[in-house]
């Protein structure tokens, strides 16, 4: 993927057209049950329960959103796994994943 980006950066329009064809051909791997469980545990300050997952298990259970879940876990850990407030979630097949938004107030996490 990186090499494709590097090779295409001088010809962004060609690269973007190629990238869009690849995305349109891909099938969504959305696990709404996993997403809901993850967001619920994030809300209760229990997202650390996922930190023991292997990369393979996380990718199998989280689907296309596994990489994003890793970033959420890092953010939650940095804030001491303070409870989050879920703002939104929706499965978006056209984006190949589910999209969620949640807030963890740093003041609550650091001074809670």
């Amino acid at each position: 993927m990186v090499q494709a980006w590097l090779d295409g950066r001088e010809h962004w329009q060609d690269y973007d057209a190629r990238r869009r064809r690849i995305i349109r051909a891909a099938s969504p791997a959305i696990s709404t049950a996993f997403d809901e469980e993850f967001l619920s545990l994030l809300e209760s300050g229990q997202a650390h329960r996922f930190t023991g997952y292997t990369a393979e298990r996380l990718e199998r259970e989280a689907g296309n959103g596994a990489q994003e879940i890793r970033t959420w876990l890092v953010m939650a850990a940095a804030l001491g796994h303070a409870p989050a407030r879920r703002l939104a979630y929706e499965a978006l097949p056209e984006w190949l994943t589910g999209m969620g938004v949640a807030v963890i107030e740093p003041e609550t996490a650091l001074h809670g």
Side-chain angles (χ1 to χ4, degrees):
M1 183 68 124
V2 171
Q3 193 60 48
W5 180 80
L6 290 172
D7 291 343
R9 65 184 169 175
E10 298 298 323
H11 306 281
W12 177 253
Q13 290 175 333
D14 295 337
Y15 168 76
D16 190 50
R18 209 170 48 244
R19 180 186 65 84
R20 289 177 186 276
R21 281 192 304 274
I22 291 168
I23 290 170
R24 284 190 203 106
S27 55
I30 304 170
S31 175
T32 55
F34 177 89
D35 293 346
E36 289 294 336
E37 178 184 9
F38 180 79
L39 288 168
S40 292
L41 289 172
L42 193 67
E43 288 177 298
S44 66
Q46 300 293 311
H48 61 82
R49 293 171 59 185
F50 290 100
T51 58
Y53 279 35
T54 64
E56 293 80 18
R57 180 177 179 193
L58 188 60
E59 289 167 12
R60 182 177 60 249
E61 293 187 24
N64 288 340
Q67 185 60 34
E68 184 74 14
I69 293 296
R70 289 180 185 99
T71 62
W72 285 56
L73 288 170
V74 169
M75 179 270 314
L79 294 172
H81 291 287
R85 183 169 39 96
R86 180 194 319 208
L87 302 178
Y89 172 78
E90 186 169 346
L92 295 169
E94 59 275 13
W95 289 6
L96 307 177
T97 192
M99 301 297 288
V101 179
V103 174
I104 297 177
E105 298 292 338
E107 296 80 27
T108 303
L110 300 175
H111 306 292

